[in-house]
Amino acid sequence: LLLAVFGGFDYSGERARLEDELRYDLTAIADQLGANLVEPLWFLEKGVLDRLVSGAMRNNRLAAVVVYDPAGGDVLAGRSRDRSWEVSPVTARPALDNVIAESRPIYYGEALVGVAEVQMTRRFMDQALHQTLVRVAVRILALNGALAAALALHHHHAGADADQPRHHQPRLRAEPD
């Protein structure tokens, strides 16, 4: 039972670490993309917008990258993953499961020129957590097996020692002079 409790702590610690790492990466990508999109949005360079969005999607953990017009929310450029995890263009806000998202308003000086939304999947984090769960379970089973074997061996030796006759050395008495 104690090993299971420690296994639970190990699993929850790994989950928190992976979630923090995912959020950190998402924030860094959203910040970088937001900075890179400023001039292409201001100058309405659709080809550059598409290349930047497509380039960001090389990161396999990204589920979608969409750039919206700030006034009406129309999609200016965007890519999303389909069911086979291939990149495809989007024309509307993607509705994806098991993602975390961050949006960045994009300003050219004081003018709001667009909004970038980056969605990152938890899919690969969940796979890593499943592997962690399997490792923890195997570790717990192995430790339980080793503990049971050690206890059985100790019990066997303790029982064998009890069955052995004890040989006592006779005490020698000192004879008076």
Side-chain angles (χ1 to χ4, degrees):
L1 181 63
L2 185 60
L3 293 175
V5 169
F6 283 121
F9 283 130
D10 189 24
Y11 179 81
S12 66
E14 183 68 4
R15 180 177 185 80
R17 185 189 68 76
L18 289 173
E19 183 81 26
D20 288 347
E21 181 181 300
L22 197 65
R23 289 195 179 281
Y24 177 84
D25 289 349
L26 176 63
T27 298
I29 291 168
D31 288 345
Q32 182 180 19
L33 190 61
N36 290 337
L37 290 171
V38 173
E39 288 187 10
L41 280 169
W42 178 254
F43 293 109
L44 302 174
E45 297 172 323
K46 175 83 169 118
V48 175
L49 286 175
D50 288 337
R51 281 194 301 276
L52 288 170
V53 169
S54 293
M57 290 298 290
R58 287 189 204 138
N59 182 329
N60 202 38
R61 294 188 305 170
L62 288 183
V65 175
V66 185
V67 181
Y68 299 100
D69 180 276
D74 294 334
V75 173
L76 300 174
R79 300 285 183 276
S80 180
R81 303 274 178 189
D82 61 19
R83 294 204 183 275
S84 61
W85 212 245
E86 296 298 320
V87 177
S88 58
V90 297
T91 55
R93 182 178 302 270
L96 301 171
D97 293 331
N98 202 22
V99 297
I100 57 174
E102 285 202 19
S103 294
R104 294 290 181 276
I106 301 168
Y107 290 91
Y108 186 87
E110 299 290 318
L112 180 62
V113 293
V115 177
E117 181 178 75
V118 180
Q119 296 182 13
M120 190 171 272
T121 184
R122 286 187 169 103
R123 171 185 182 177
F124 302 110
M125 182 187 85
D126 291 343
Q127 289 172 354
L129 283 173
H130 178 73
Q131 292 171 348
T132 297
L133 186 60
V134 169
R135 277 194 313 269
V136 167
V138 166
R139 218 178 295 148
I140 288 171
L141 290 174
L143 288 172
N144 277 336
L147 184 59
L151 287 174
L153 188 61
H154 175 72
H155 181 67
H156 176 71
H157 283 300
D161 289 344
D163 292 340
Q164 295 293 323
R166 295 184 183 230
H167 299 287
H168 295 286
Q169 295 288 334
R171 287 190 193 170
L172 298 176
R173 279 197 214 167
E175 293 194 21
D177 291 323

